[in-house]
Amino acid sequence: MQAKLNKLKARLKTIHDLHAISSLLFWDQATYMPPGGAQARGRQRALIEQMAHEHLTDKWIGQCLDSLLSYEQDLPYDSDDAALIRVTRRQYQKAIMVPAEFMARLSEHGATCYAAWIEARREKNFDLVRDHLEKNLDLSRELAGYYPGYEHIADPLIDIHDEGMTVARIRPLFADLRQRLVPLVEAICDNEPLENDFLHDHYPSRLQQEFCTRLARKLGYDTNRGRVDLTHHPFMIKFAQGDVRITTRIRENDLSEALFSSIHETGHALYEQNIDKQLEASPLDRGASGGVHESQSRLWENLIGRSREFWINHLPLLRELFPDQLSGVDLDRFCRGINHVERSLIRTDADEVTYNLHVMIRFELELELLEGALAIRDLPDAWNERYQSYLGVCPPDDSLGVLQDMHWYEGVIGGAFQSYTLGNLMAAQIYQTARQANPDLPTQIAQGHFEPLLHWLTQNIYRHGRKFLPEELIQRVTGRPLSIEPFMAYLQDKYGQWYRLP
Amino acid sequence: MQAKLNKLKARLKTIHDLHAISSLLFWDQATYMPPGGAQARGRQRALIEQMAHEHLTDKWIGQCLDSLLSYEQDLPYDSDDAALIRVTRRQYQKAIMVPAEFMARLSEHGATCYAAWIEARREKNFDLVRDHLEKNLDLSRELAGYYPGYEHIADPLIDIHDEGMTVARIRPLFADLRQRLVPLVEAICDNEPLENDFLHDHYPSRLQQEFCTRLARKLGYDTNRGRVDLTHHPFMIKFAQGDVRITTRIRENDLSEALFSSIHETGHALYEQNIDKQLEASPLDRGASGGVHESQSRLWENLIGRSREFWINHLPLLRELFPDQLSGVDLDRFCRGINHVERSLIRTDADEVTYNLHVMIRFELELELLEGALAIRDLPDAWNERYQSYLGVCPPDDSLGVLQDMHWYEGVIGGAFQSYTLGNLMAAQIYQTARQANPDLPTQIAQGHFEPLLHWLTQNIYRHGRKFLPEELIQRVTGRPLSIEPFMAYLQDKYGQWYRLP
């Protein structure tokens, strides 16, 4: 039995490595690849992904998993081997449901639609991508159809990113959240906005990059096992436990861009760098889900990185680099500036109060599209109406509206956006638990000591990798199911100090 | 028949792409990879190389090549399809001779020996790597043994890098060359050495990099289809016709390092960027051989880059960047400085007069090792004696002697070094022909116009990729077999202006 398991592990390591190689092909494309490399790179990525898919769907894997069933059942649920077999079985069963021929079609059309989206966004004209997006919707519905027995057509797509989550679970959570957020945003925006002009002074690129990398290291990011590069759309990516990279984006007239995107990606990287060495290069050697991953990037970015305690220690360091730009900016003014709230059009630029409304608009619209209740041709109007209703703003053109995110245009409509809001909710609930377990956390952070928090997160979350389903993990860590209350309490508490709130 | 050929081409494209992916894994390792990534990277490269080998040795390829034989024979020898089938057949037949099990053993031991070499070189102690090197020799002999029917045991190893070349062809060529070079070096070194102190002033890294990249572009390197990065050991690498990268190395106290290594790698890159588009992603989509490739890097580096004509146009540009360092350095002094000749210990730092003696020492020693005439334990002494005899210098320790090059320690002893000298000989013979075809070349170069030379090289060499064997190509381009005369005439002519020569 042990020999069989070892053989399975060797096969899974090959699959892991193929995904890692595909990731390097992507990283290079997003950082250093010259324009002339694009065509061959697309072909090379598709080749490796197809090989990984063939390896995972090999009948031998299914037979091996069958023969390991009784071995698995004799092990404790949370043992490494039981989790490995369990998670591999779920991945295998999902992978064999979808014909390779469909995956090729999906990926090919995704590339076509993506190219049309780039053009449509530049021309600010949704019509240029509409037909392609219709086909994406057809393909998304076809993809869901390969997983019979779902309750809602979006469930199989959500399951790809947030395993075990369903529309039935998420919809009421989001509905409650929206009912609480809309009036909160209104109340905040009735106040005078917090001043943040100083963030838009001139901050030279090189100094920003230096500060961000130093900061990432201070939070615990190991640059012997990672590095920081520049890109258009920041991301974290992993090739091995010893090679977890982040990218960032710098705007010389906006200090907050590089600062918070760096902390955000550092959060993702801390998760991946601190998975148990025993799980290395296995299907468990990655974060538990899209939502749980986002909870860690947002925890570090917002709950830590936008906190007063954090800047007690770091503002003096930042001021050493930018003495002119930050002269006259004391701790209070700085904290108000980086927590400026406003009704806005662009999700990725949104503050943490309005952010989830952006996400919910997308989640609601994609459900309606998948259900057939909304047609692609009516999507831009529906988008604009929803923005007016939830956020009180209306995009002047589609590039600032329905064309702003690449997600739907890459291939699959549905399944991805909910992770962002699940992550924000989880972050608040997890951090609340961490503070209860260690009431000194804020003091430690004010002193620039992040090891205790990192240690707690590693022990409770990071080291487990993908062993547990997201809801299982939240229950284990916080002792409760996922709820919106910790997040709402966090917002109420934090923004109550600056604004008159209901 | 056409359908079969198209299917073969599709399979060969996959093999090409796997090699390209392996190359990206290497490029990243040599440029940006953090130290923690090394272990997984070794595993991932081995995985891809193994997959490429499996694809190439698939029986279907052999059957397909058999069934295309009559089609090939009806085509002209130099047609693209005939060349593709011919070259693929040679590659297939070589690949199936060697058991996959052996390749795995060779690659595994190569990694072990390489690591021991790093340590031995640091400790300046050959004994630390001696046993591993003995095993490399055994494996190299075993490798040669898989290709029965050779005349000399090194022939199959040479054939890997310089197809069609043999010891019987190279040995007399090199013997003649040595007999002419040793007295030439002696004569030159009897003179006062050319002064080159100004090259060792302080040249800031960033400005050097800027100049080198600008220069590469001016020579015709297309940075929309390539880029320049920094590394320890400069190299050119290709992922696709649209993505041919070079790396360089900068020393702030030695201007010639970055300058000439950049031009050298640009030469390699010009070759790869100008292969016929029709050959893209096929086995023909690369230079003809190690030697022919080196002929192009050395042609651009030495025959162009160290010529007086070249610096007529470029010295003023260089002086704009480094006005203090180059004040008082006129064209003549600059040209003498970059053509400084001296007896030296390190091959990669050697000038173009002594360089081939370094290469010949290695070539002779590796033949003796493979023949069994020299034992590994006697190698350091043999190395030192040969340096004393050919170059009149003796390494003070092994790190400056037998441990200086990685080649033997990576896995295979034999087959690689001759390319460097073949390249130098070819470069002179090719450039002599180019000047006969276009007597205006020196004037064009003095005016900073490289298009005519690049066009001639593309038409005669680059576009053909790997269609022809090295000797065939030299015969086609120059109308003669490879000879040492053009190279000797070039040295005599160039160095005769500065030194009293026999």
Side-chain angles (χ1 to χ4, degrees):
Chain A
M1 204 55 83
Q2 202 57 46
K4 187 156 269 180
L5 183 61
N6 286 339
K7 199 172 163 196
L8 177 66
K9 285 179 180 174
R11 294 249 192 155
L12 295 173
K13 188 180 272 191
T14 295
I15 296 169
H16 175 277
D17 281 343
L18 287 170
H19 287 300
I21 291 163
S22 172
S23 296
L24 179 71
L25 292 167
F26 172 78
W27 173 87
D28 179 68
Q29 187 165 14
T31 50
Y32 296 112
M33 190 186 77
Q39 200 189 0
R41 185 57 52 89
R43 198 176 66 218
Q44 290 160 1
R45 278 175 67 191
L47 171 67
I48 293 294
E49 285 300 330
Q50 185 202 327
M51 284 177 162
H53 188 255
E54 280 166 13
H55 275 74
L56 177 58
T57 55
D58 187 321
K59 282 200 174 58
W60 183 90
I61 302 263
Q63 290 156 0
C64 181
L65 290 166
D66 286 347
S67 67
L68 287 167
L69 189 61
S70 65
Y71 174 74
E72 175 198 352
Q73 285 167 343
D74 289 344
L75 293 169
Y77 182 82
D78 61 356
S79 82
D80 288 354
D81 282 353
L84 179 77
I85 298 168
R86 181 170 73 236
V87 170
T88 303
R89 183 178 296 110
R90 288 203 306 261
Q91 290 187 357
Y92 172 76
Q93 283 171 348
K94 278 193 222 175
I96 59 169
M97 305 287 260
V98 187
E101 165 278 322
F102 172 80
M103 292 305 287
R105 249 193 306 141
L106 179 66
S107 139
E108 199 188 321
H109 182 69
T112 308
C113 186
Y114 181 86
W117 167 67
I118 295 281
E119 177 66 11
R121 202 178 48 162
R122 188 171 44 221
E123 299 291 324
K124 306 180 183 188
N125 183 355
F126 178 77
D127 289 345
L128 296 178
V129 71
R130 199 182 61 192
D131 292 346
H132 297 296
L133 194 61
E134 296 236 17
K135 190 159 172 197
N136 276 10
L137 182 57
D138 292 342
L139 288 166
S140 306
R141 295 171 60 90
E142 185 176 346
L143 176 58
Y146 290 116
Y147 304 95
Y150 56 71
E151 195 183 314
H152 188 283
I153 186 171
D155 287 349
L157 308 180
I158 292 171
D159 200 72
I160 295 170
H161 299 271
D162 295 298
E163 218 167 0
M165 288 284 181
T166 60
V167 171
R169 173 76 180 102
I170 298 167
R171 195 138 51 178
L173 209 59
F174 282 16
D176 283 355
L177 185 62
R178 175 164 58 83
Q179 284 194 336
R180 304 270 287 275
L181 279 181
V182 171
L184 181 67
V185 171
E186 272 170 19
I188 288 178
C189 294
D190 279 348
N191 291 263
E192 187 73 21
L194 300 181
E195 175 266 329
N196 67 355
D197 293 349
F198 63 88
L199 291 174
H200 299 283
D201 203 334
H202 180 79
Y203 293 89
S205 181
R206 200 183 53 74
L207 291 177
Q208 284 199 59
Q209 199 171 356
E210 190 185 312
F211 183 79
C212 289
T213 304
R214 217 200 295 168
L215 193 56
R217 279 210 199 92
K218 216 170 152 199
L219 297 177
Y221 178 57
D222 178 358
T223 48
N224 277 317
R225 299 191 292 133
R227 50 176 289 121
V228 186
D229 296 274
L230 296 177
T231 189
H232 278 297
H233 300 284
F235 58 90
M236 180 281 302
I237 200 160
K238 180 181 191 173
F239 311 135
Q241 283 197 2
D243 194 353
V244 176
R245 304 188 191 178
I246 61 179
T247 63
T248 190
R249 172 170 62 184
I250 295 175
R251 293 182 187 154
E252 295 207 315
N253 66 350
D254 182 358
L255 179 63
S256 61
E257 177 64 35
L259 206 50
F260 294 104
S261 85
S262 293
I263 305 179
H264 183 97
E265 303 307 334
T266 298
H268 283 304
L270 290 174
Y271 196 166
E272 293 293 336
Q273 282 194 334
N274 290 291
I275 291 174
D276 192 334
K277 190 88 180 137
Q278 293 299 320
L279 308 181
E280 191 169 4
S282 82
L284 305 181
D285 188 8
R286 51 191 289 225
S289 71
V292 177
H293 234 302
E294 192 69 8
S295 79
Q296 294 315 297
S297 54
R298 298 293 270 180
L299 188 153
W300 289 97
E301 175 194 353
N302 287 338
L303 288 88
I304 307 301
R306 292 187 205 264
S307 73
R308 196 174 190 282
E309 297 87 51
F310 183 85
W311 290 104
I312 290 175
N313 192 271
H314 288 90
L315 186 57
L317 303 174
L318 195 61
R319 202 181 278 118
E320 274 174 30
L321 287 180
F322 305 111
D324 296 340
Q325 297 91 326
L326 295 174
S327 81
V329 180
D330 67 9
L331 183 63
D332 284 325
R333 189 172 159 210
F334 187 83
C335 289
R336 286 196 305 270
I338 60 171
N339 285 293
H340 173 95
V341 175
E342 66 181 351
R343 305 176 191 275
S344 64
L345 292 168
I346 304 295
R347 174 183 65 86
T348 54
D349 294 342
D351 55 81
E352 62 183 332
V353 181
T354 56
Y355 186 87
N356 294 300
L357 293 171
H358 291 263
V359 173
M360 278 185 265
I361 290 172
R362 289 152 179 77
F363 183 71
E364 291 171 14
L365 292 174
E366 65 189 20
L367 293 192
E368 291 167 29
L369 289 169
L370 287 165
E371 289 162 359
L374 176 65
I376 291 286
R377 68 174 174 279
D378 298 325
L379 179 60
D381 285 346
W383 179 286
N384 295 349
E385 283 161 22
R386 206 81 42 129
Y387 260 80
Q388 191 62 59
S389 153
Y390 293 179
L391 279 154
V393 287
C394 186
D397 64 58
D398 291 336
S399 76
L400 298 169
V402 70
L403 291 172
Q404 71 182 261
D405 292 308
M406 75 174 76
H407 303 57
W408 291 339
Y409 304 92
E410 276 182 320
V412 178
I413 296 176
F417 278 116
Q418 77 288 334
S419 301
Y420 297 112
T421 286
L422 291 175
N424 286 324
L425 301 179
M426 289 172 181
Q429 188 162 328
I430 289 167
Y431 191 57
Q432 192 181 64
T433 308
R435 282 183 64 165
Q436 282 158 2
N438 173 8
D440 292 336
L441 268 182
T443 315
Q444 290 160 348
I445 288 166
Q447 292 166 346
H449 296 146
F450 301 100
E451 307 82 8
L453 174 59
L454 180 56
H455 180 75
W456 188 90
L457 291 167
T458 298
Q459 287 308 304
N460 285 279
I461 301 175
Y462 300 169
R463 69 183 173 99
H464 299 308
R466 211 177 185 79
K467 280 172 77 167
F468 304 109
L469 289 169
E471 288 258 48
E472 284 173 359
L473 186 67
I474 294 300
Q475 180 71 44
R476 279 177 66 106
V477 177
T478 70
R480 290 169 295 164
L482 181 63
S483 135
I484 68 167
E485 297 309 331
F487 179 68
M488 289 310 305
Y490 160 71
L491 291 187
Q492 206 77 35
D493 180 52
K494 179 169 175 179
Y495 291 90
Q497 65 182 308
W498 299 309
Y499 299 107
R500 260 162 299 124
L501 299 183
Chain B
M1 203 54 85
Q2 201 57 47
K4 188 155 268 180
L5 183 61
N6 287 339
K7 199 171 162 197
L8 177 66
K9 285 179 180 172
R11 294 249 191 154
L12 295 173
K13 190 181 272 191
T14 295
I15 296 169
H16 175 277
D17 281 343
L18 287 170
H19 287 300
I21 291 164
S22 172
S23 296
L24 180 71
L25 292 167
F26 172 78
W27 174 87
D28 179 68
Q29 186 165 14
T31 50
Y32 297 111
M33 190 186 80
Q39 201 189 0
R41 184 56 53 89
R43 200 176 66 219
Q44 290 160 1
R45 279 175 67 190
L47 172 66
I48 293 294
E49 285 299 329
Q50 186 202 325
M51 285 177 160
H53 189 256
E54 281 167 10
H55 275 73
L56 177 57
T57 54
D58 188 321
K59 283 201 174 56
W60 183 90
I61 302 262
Q63 289 157 0
C64 181
L65 289 166
D66 286 347
S67 67
L68 287 167
L69 189 61
S70 65
Y71 173 74
E72 176 198 350
Q73 285 167 342
D74 290 342
L75 292 170
Y77 182 82
D78 61 356
S79 83
D80 289 354
D81 281 353
L84 178 79
I85 298 167
R86 182 171 70 237
V87 170
T88 303
R89 182 176 298 111
R90 288 204 306 260
Q91 290 188 355
Y92 172 76
Q93 282 171 347
K94 277 191 223 174
I96 59 170
M97 305 287 260
V98 188
E101 166 277 322
F102 172 80
M103 292 305 288
R105 249 193 306 141
L106 179 66
S107 139
E108 198 187 323
H109 182 68
T112 309
C113 186
Y114 182 85
W117 167 66
I118 295 281
E119 177 67 11
R121 203 177 48 161
R122 189 171 42 222
E123 299 291 325
K124 306 179 183 187
N125 184 354
F126 178 77
D127 290 346
L128 296 178
V129 70
R130 198 181 63 191
D131 292 347
H132 297 297
L133 195 61
E134 295 234 16
K135 190 160 173 200
N136 276 10
L137 182 57
D138 292 342
L139 289 166
S140 305
R141 295 171 61 90
E142 185 177 346
L143 176 58
Y146 290 116
Y147 303 95
Y150 55 72
E151 195 183 312
H152 189 283
I153 186 171
D155 287 349
L157 309 180
I158 291 170
D159 200 72
I160 294 169
H161 299 270
D162 294 299
E163 219 169 358
M165 289 284 181
T166 60
V167 171
R169 173 78 179 101
I170 298 167
R171 195 137 52 175
L173 210 58
F174 282 15
D176 283 355
L177 186 61
R178 176 164 58 81
Q179 283 194 335
R180 305 270 289 273
L181 280 180
V182 171
L184 182 66
V185 171
E186 273 170 20
I188 288 178
C189 295
D190 279 348
N191 290 264
E192 188 71 21
L194 300 181
E195 174 266 332
N196 67 354
D197 293 351
F198 64 88
L199 291 173
H200 298 283
D201 203 333
H202 180 79
Y203 293 88
S205 180
R206 199 183 54 74
L207 291 177
Q208 284 200 57
Q209 200 171 356
E210 191 184 311
F211 184 79
C212 290
T213 305
R214 216 201 295 170
L215 194 56
R217 278 209 199 93
K218 218 171 150 197
L219 297 177
Y221 179 56
D222 178 358
T223 48
N224 277 317
R225 300 189 292 135
R227 51 176 289 120
V228 186
D229 296 274
L230 296 178
T231 187
H232 279 297
H233 300 284
F235 58 89
M236 179 282 302
I237 201 161
K238 180 180 192 173
F239 311 135
Q241 283 196 2
D243 194 353
V244 177
R245 304 188 191 178
I246 62 179
T247 63
T248 190
R249 171 171 62 184
I250 296 174
R251 292 182 188 154
E252 294 207 316
N253 66 351
D254 181 359
L255 179 62
S256 61
E257 177 65 35
L259 207 49
F260 293 104
S261 85
S262 294
I263 305 179
H264 182 99
E265 302 308 333
T266 299
H268 283 303
L270 290 174
Y271 197 167
E272 293 293 336
Q273 282 193 335
N274 289 291
I275 291 174
D276 193 333
K277 191 90 181 137
Q278 293 299 320
L279 308 180
E280 191 170 3
S282 83
L284 305 180
D285 189 8
R286 52 191 288 228
S289 71
V292 177
H293 234 303
E294 192 71 8
S295 79
Q296 294 314 298
S297 54
R298 298 291 271 181
L299 188 154
W300 288 98
E301 175 193 353
N302 288 338
L303 287 89
I304 307 301
R306 293 186 204 265
S307 72
R308 195 174 190 281
E309 301 87 75
F310 183 84
W311 290 104
I312 290 175
N313 191 269
H314 287 91
L315 185 57
L317 303 173
L318 194 60
R319 202 181 278 119
E320 275 174 30
L321 287 179
F322 304 111
D324 296 340
Q325 297 90 328
L326 294 175
S327 81
V329 181
D330 66 10
L331 182 62
D332 284 323
R333 189 173 160 209
F334 187 82
C335 289
R336 287 196 304 268
I338 60 172
N339 285 293
H340 173 97
V341 175
E342 66 181 349
R343 304 176 191 277
S344 64
L345 292 168
I346 304 295
R347 175 184 63 86
T348 55
D349 293 342
D351 55 82
E352 62 184 331
V353 181
T354 56
Y355 186 88
N356 295 299
L357 293 171
H358 292 263
V359 173
M360 277 184 266
I361 290 171
R362 290 152 177 78
F363 183 70
E364 291 170 15
L365 293 173
E366 67 191 18
L367 293 193
E368 291 167 29
L369 289 169
L370 288 164
E371 290 161 0
L374 175 67
I376 291 286
R377 67 174 175 280
D378 299 324
L379 179 60
D381 285 345
W383 179 285
N384 295 349
E385 282 161 24
R386 205 83 40 131
Y387 261 79
Q388 191 63 59
S389 154
Y390 294 178
L391 279 154
V393 288
C394 186
D397 65 57
D398 292 337
S399 75
L400 298 169
V402 71
L403 292 171
Q404 72 184 260
D405 292 308
M406 75 175 77
H407 302 57
W408 292 339
Y409 304 92
E410 275 181 322
V412 178
I413 296 176
F417 279 117
Q418 78 287 336
S419 301
Y420 297 113
T421 287
L422 291 175
N424 286 324
L425 300 179
M426 289 173 182
Q429 187 162 331
I430 289 167
Y431 191 57
Q432 192 181 64
T433 308
R435 283 183 63 165
Q436 282 158 2
N438 173 8
D440 291 337
L441 267 182
T443 316
Q444 289 160 349
I445 288 166
Q447 292 165 346
H449 295 145
F450 301 100
E451 308 82 6
L453 175 58
L454 180 56
H455 179 75
W456 188 90
L457 291 168
T458 298
Q459 286 307 306
N460 285 278
I461 301 174
Y462 300 169
R463 70 183 173 98
H464 299 308
R466 213 177 183 79
K467 280 171 78 167
F468 303 110
L469 288 170
E471 289 256 51
E472 284 173 358
L473 187 67
I474 293 300
Q475 181 72 45
R476 279 177 66 106
V477 176
T478 70
R480 290 170 296 163
L482 180 62
S483 136
I484 67 167
E485 297 309 331
F487 179 68
M488 289 311 304
Y490 159 72
L491 291 188
Q492 205 78 33
D493 180 53
K494 180 170 175 179
Y495 291 90
Q497 65 182 307
W498 298 309
Y499 300 107
R500 258 163 300 126
L501 299 182

